Amino acid sequence: MPSPTCPKDVAVLVLNWNGLELLRSFLPSWVKFTPEEADLIIIDNGSTDGSVAFVQEHYPEVKLVAFTENYGFAAGYNKAIAELDYKTVVLLNSDVELSDGWLREPLELLSSDPSITAVQPTIRAQRSPQDFEYAGAAGGYIDSLGYPFCRGRILSVVEQDQGQYSTPVDLFWASGACLIIRRAAYLEAGGLDPVFFAHQEEIDLCWRLLARGGRIVYAPSSTVYHVGGASLSAESPRKVFLNFRNNLLMIYKNLPAPRLYTVLLLRVFLDFLAALVYLVKLQPRHCFAVLEAWRCFLIKRLRYERVRGDNLAKTTAQISPDLMKPYSIIVQYYLRGRKRYSQLPR
């Protein structure tokens, strides 16, 4: 199917693969709250559940790009963004509900400062609308060992949104649940890494954006509502595997030596401790998922040497300790009992 023309500057892109029920639930909010200055485009990844026919029959005004095969999450977005010539693109998960005016502040931030390359709105839980949502909350950071966390969500503790994060701030990473980004910056940084399959691919992309001198900013007055876990449950050993493996690959791709080797040495201890905890909790599949993540990382690391060299060669900016925190979130959470962002060291 031919790609739609691009008379507007902004495209809201929703990647779909056999997500007919999600389309039934969330497409009405996408249509209602996509502003006039943006095109809503469904990117279908070779669905076989009638998704394409549903959009064509019930929402003929919605633009549609239908691939003939499933390219996966990262490669699907990469292909679509390369083909669609918009200045700004929104990567929107298919289980996100929009709200009135959600795109206003992100677009204002992008237009106000050319150094801002990506923006994240406030992400709340669709099933518990006063709470932040796990995958993004009020914007993300990573600690000194590469573990990600958010304002409003430290490890498993999620806060209620009471306006405590009500000002725009710079972030280390913006959630892929709703990522507003300059298309040129996305393409220049290489887009999402298809090897990751799922989880933390947006953090890896944001790391590259920062290393090239870009900024990622939180837009507090913009709010979307994310279901989360629509593809993999938080209890899934597969999700444990992907999170650990992808996090290690991300660190290897982006962290300069000699710090890289110090971090990996400490991560061996902490990740194997996590595997032991899973075993003690009678979750052997989760334990083996951590061990398999390390095995897979050590194999794939050899194939990433050129990618790592390219990333480091294109690095033009030092990442601030305000974004890559100089402490361990594991120590702060488990040993010092600091389970809210406001309690962490400044």
Side-chain angles (χ1 to χ4, degrees), residues 21-322:
E21 294 309 311
L22 291 174
L23 292 175
R24 292 185 194 276
S25 297
F26 295 105
L27 221 166
S29 92
W30 306 338
V31 171
K32 181 177 181 180
F33 295 120
T34 296
E36 291 185 359
E37 63 265 35
D39 280 333
L40 171 63
I41 306 176
I42 306 300
I43 310 297
D44 190 80
N45 245 341
S47 294
T48 57
D49 66 345
S51 290
V52 170
F54 172 80
V55 174
Q56 290 173 327
E57 179 180 354
H58 296 282
Y59 297 92
E61 74 278 16
V62 173
K63 296 179 184 294
L64 178 69
V65 174
F67 297 145
T68 57
E69 59 184 283
N70 181 9
Y71 289 95
F73 181 83
Y77 267 126
N78 289 349
K79 180 175 172 61
I81 291 170
E83 293 178 359
L84 297 169
D85 191 17
Y86 290 83
K87 291 183 179 179
T88 302
V89 292
V90 181
L91 282 65
L92 184 70
N93 273 17
S94 58
D95 59 347
V96 170
E97 182 178 318
L98 301 177
S99 65
D100 188 24
W102 69 281
L103 199 49
R104 186 179 305 116
E105 187 182 21
L107 294 182
E108 289 174 351
L109 285 167
L110 287 171
S111 65
S112 70
D113 188 339
S115 71
I116 298 175
T117 52
V119 180
Q120 182 197 296
T122 300
I123 303 179
R124 291 190 188 178
Q126 197 264 348
R127 293 171 179 151
S128 180
Q130 294 307 309
D131 295 335
F132 288 112
E133 207 279 317
Y134 183 92
Y141 302 94
I142 65 171
D143 75 352
S144 60
L145 299 179
Y147 292 116
F149 61 97
C150 306
R151 297 195 311 165
R153 191 272 296 171
I154 307 295
L155 299 184
S156 61
V157 175
V158 179
E159 300 177 36
Q160 187 176 88
D161 185 359
Q162 299 177 333
Q164 64 270 48
Y165 308 116
S166 59
T167 55
V169 294
D170 280 61
L171 306 171
F172 186 96
W173 60 272
S175 172
C178 185
L179 174 61
I180 303 103
I181 186 169
R182 297 185 195 275
R183 176 178 176 268
Y186 182 97
L187 294 175
E188 191 279 331
L192 299 171
D193 187 337
V195 174
F196 279 38
F197 179 73
H199 299 295
Q200 300 196 34
E201 65 272 38
E202 76 271 44
I203 306 178
D204 172 57
L205 171 61
C206 288
W207 197 331
R208 282 176 272 135
L209 292 173
L210 292 174
R212 288 158 171 77
R215 292 174 58 205
I216 300 154
V217 176
Y218 170 60
S221 68
S222 169
T223 303
V224 302
Y225 299 88
H226 185 214
V227 174
S231 56
L232 286 174
S233 163
E235 301 302 317
S236 166
R238 176 66 173 167
K239 186 168 186 174
V240 171
F241 165 78
L242 290 171
N243 272 320
F244 276 84
R245 185 202 65 175
N246 292 352
N247 186 257
L248 292 167
L249 287 174
M250 175 180 70
I251 292 169
Y252 183 75
K253 287 173 63 177
N254 297 288
L255 192 64
R259 187 178 169 199
L260 169 69
Y261 306 107
T262 302
V263 168
L264 288 179
L265 184 62
L266 291 170
R267 286 293 300 271
V268 169
F269 171 75
L270 289 172
D271 290 0
F272 279 71
L273 180 60
L276 180 61
V277 170
Y278 279 130
L279 197 60
V280 170
K281 293 167 64 176
L282 302 180
Q283 294 178 296
R285 293 177 62 202
H286 294 70
C287 170
F288 294 139
V290 176
L291 301 180
E292 178 62 14
W294 265 93
R295 187 190 74 84
C296 190
F297 161 67
L298 292 173
I299 293 172
K300 289 188 178 295
R301 176 184 60 84
L302 300 176
R303 305 176 193 172
Y304 268 95
E305 289 181 0
R306 183 185 60 80
V307 176
R308 169 178 166 78
D310 185 61
N311 284 343
L312 296 180
K314 292 179 179 177
T315 296
T316 61
Q318 294 292 322
I319 298 176
S320 166
D322 291 334

